[in-house]
Amino acid sequence: MDLPLVHRLTSGEGWGLLQSLPPYDESTALALGARLRAAGFEPDLVAAALTQSQLRARAVDKLGPTAAEMLLTRDGLEQATRRPIAEAHAQRFADAGIRHVYDLGCGIGSDAMAFAAAGLRVNAVDADEVTAAIAAVNLRPWTRAAVEEATAESVPLPTGEGARGVGVWLDPARRTPGVADVNGKTRRLFRLEDLSPSWDAVRDLSSRVPGAGAKLSPAFPHSRLPARAEAEWTSYDGEVVECALWWGTLVRRPGRSARVLGRRVDAVVDETMAKDADPTLAEIGRLDRYLYEADRAVIRAGLVGALANAVGGRELSPGLGYVNASHEMRLPWARRYAVTDVLPYNVKGLRALLRDRRAGRVTIKKRGVSVDADQLRRQLRLSGDQTVTIVVTRLRTTQVVLVVTPF
Ligand SMILES: C[S@@+](CC[C@H](N)C(=O)[O-])C[C@H]1O[C@@H](n2cnc3c(N)ncnc32)[C@H](O)[C@@H]1O
């Protein structure tokens, strides 16, 4: 979409057309397009409106009902922060007493909208003129939000007394524009050196205001955590989606933390909870009845010790995320299983055991081993009528299989 089309689509006739479209339905989109063109709408406007309608339908899961009022691009939607996570970012700014946020690289504005909705004043910029124009449309409902096309590095931030209550938010692009993978998605970049704005710019900008935050890849290496900052890994419904770095007044607790979010969960795990965890590992011949699996954000944050502490158990192998314990407990940031069998990993032995259990379907969970689940499933040649869950992992250094029952 180019700038003139953004303007036509978001003013007068174009916006009226867009807002009048019925819920997107792939099977009727072609006919609808033909009807609209026959009614006198320009073909490019019709095509753009139908694309928006399709993107909005796709965006609802990520951005919630406000997606129906937004202007979107495929790339912008892919990079946008999921709404509950954007709200969590905004809450952190508000809790820290920040009243004015500079969102430096705002994309289509998902984070900026959450800041504005939390009552914060927002100055958002994006280096791409079309993206900035789209963010400006999306932030129209908030009079205290302004968007312009600019680079993060060129924005004059307030200094001295003027910087009181000011915060910076950065969500650097992590992809190579124009380089698509086999599915047509832009390729993700995971090296700090490949961020835009750059990692140096992120650190510089974050040092100029009382509080700053930056959304980075979950692959952020622990060794790069700046002094006195907080790195917070966040998962949503079990998938780790980001590692946010926080500086200054936005730090709740320096060091590593995990935020486990989802449709039914909101929990925080931090380093104090992992402190002094028993370093002894579980032993193959003496496994206790229950297996706990930490949420992936907790694993990425290196806080599996918090799970061992919480359930009074022992890890199977350091950092993998599995903890064995003798008692039963419910935690919002861990799954739990009853262990029925443990055996060294061996396809023949496992096949015999699963035949005994009359297993016809098997759910294979694996961590810390290079086992191909599909190949293993074929090798097991199952034919029974029961469904079984197995965990293929390492116990200390030995590859093992645990037959488990989730509960
Ligand atoms: C990951 S997206 C931001 C997504 C946004 N937080 C949201 O939730 O919708 C990153 C954006 O940064 C912009 N960008 C990249 N380098 C920039 C720079 N040096 N200055 C300003 N914006 C930049 C890109 O155009 C892109 O739109």
Side-chain angles (χ1 to χ4, degrees), residues 278-297:
D278 184 352
T280 324
L281 299 175
E283 282 177 51
I284 192 155
R286 303 166 60 182
L287 275 193
D288 285 318
R289 176 120 212 256
Y290 300 105
L291 182 72
Y292 292 84
E293 181 185 13
D295 180 272
R296 291 198 170 110

Side-chain angles (χ1 to χ4, degrees), residues 169-175 188-195 199 202 214-222 224 231-234 240-245 300-301:
W169 173 247
L170 292 137
D171 179 1
R174 287 186 243 147
R175 293 148 204 261
R188 271 179 183 275
L189 296 169
F190 292 113
R191 294 178 344 127
L192 276 178
E193 287 66 28
D194 294 325
L195 298 178
W199 175 231
V202 168
K215 175 179 148 190
L216 303 175
S217 155
F220 178 76
H222 292 187
R224 304 291 287 271
E232 179 192 43
W233 278 263
T234 299
V240 193
V241 287
E242 66 176 43
C243 170
L245 291 193
R300 284 284 191 146

Side-chain angles (χ1 to χ4, degrees), residues 129-151:
E129 68 169 356
V130 173
T131 305
I134 288 175
V137 171
N138 292 337
L139 284 150
R140 279 194 301 209
W142 293 277
T143 50
R144 281 161 42 86
V147 184
E148 58 176 324
E149 176 205 341
T151 62

Side-chain angles (χ1 to χ4, degrees), residues 85-122:
I85 299 172
E87 284 168 357
H89 296 153
Q91 191 61 47
R92 190 181 276 249
F93 277 85
D95 289 350
I98 301 282
R99 294 184 303 277
H100 183 177
V101 184
Y102 284 78
D103 184 343
L104 305 178
C106 63
I108 57 166
S110 177
D111 278 310
M113 289 166 73
F115 295 139
L120 304 168
R121 186 175 153 203
V122 180

Side-chain angles (χ1 to χ4, degrees), residues 176-332:
T176 326
V179 180
D181 66 13
V182 285
N183 301 313
K185 288 188 171 179
T186 41
R187 190 160 61 83
R188 271 179 183 275
L189 296 169
F190 292 113
R191 294 178 344 127
L192 276 178
E193 287 66 28
D194 294 325
L195 298 178
S196 176
S198 70
W199 175 231
D200 281 347
V202 168
R203 280 180 305 169
D204 172 49
L205 290 162
S206 62
S207 68
R208 295 211 235 140
V209 287
K215 175 179 148 190
L216 303 175
S217 155
F220 178 76
H222 292 187
S223 60
R224 304 291 287 271
L225 174 57
R228 296 181 300 282
E230 176 182 348
E232 179 192 43
W233 278 263
T234 299
S235 62
Y236 191 83
D237 280 349
E239 187 196 347
V240 193
V241 287
E242 66 176 43
C243 170
L245 291 193
W246 303 104
W247 287 268
T249 53
L250 288 167
V251 173
R252 287 187 177 142
R253 207 182 283 279
R256 290 170 278 115
S257 64
R259 177 94 184 246
V260 179
L261 273 177
R263 286 169 179 83
R264 280 183 294 274
V265 56
D266 183 357
V268 173
V269 176
D270 64 36
E271 284 189 37
T272 57
M273 296 161 75
K275 216 165 157 251
D276 302 327
D278 184 352
T280 324
L281 299 175
E283 282 177 51
I284 192 155
R286 303 166 60 182
L287 275 193
D288 285 318
R289 176 120 212 256
Y290 300 105
L291 182 72
Y292 292 84
E293 181 185 13
D295 180 272
R296 291 198 170 110
V298 176
I299 300 172
R300 284 284 191 146
L303 298 175
V304 181
L307 180 57
N309 277 344
V311 301
R314 294 170 172 190
E315 289 189 62
L316 297 193
S317 196
L320 277 191
Y322 289 119
V323 170
N324 181 237
S326 60
H327 56 261
E328 193 189 315
M329 188 170 182
R330 189 183 290 279
L331 287 168

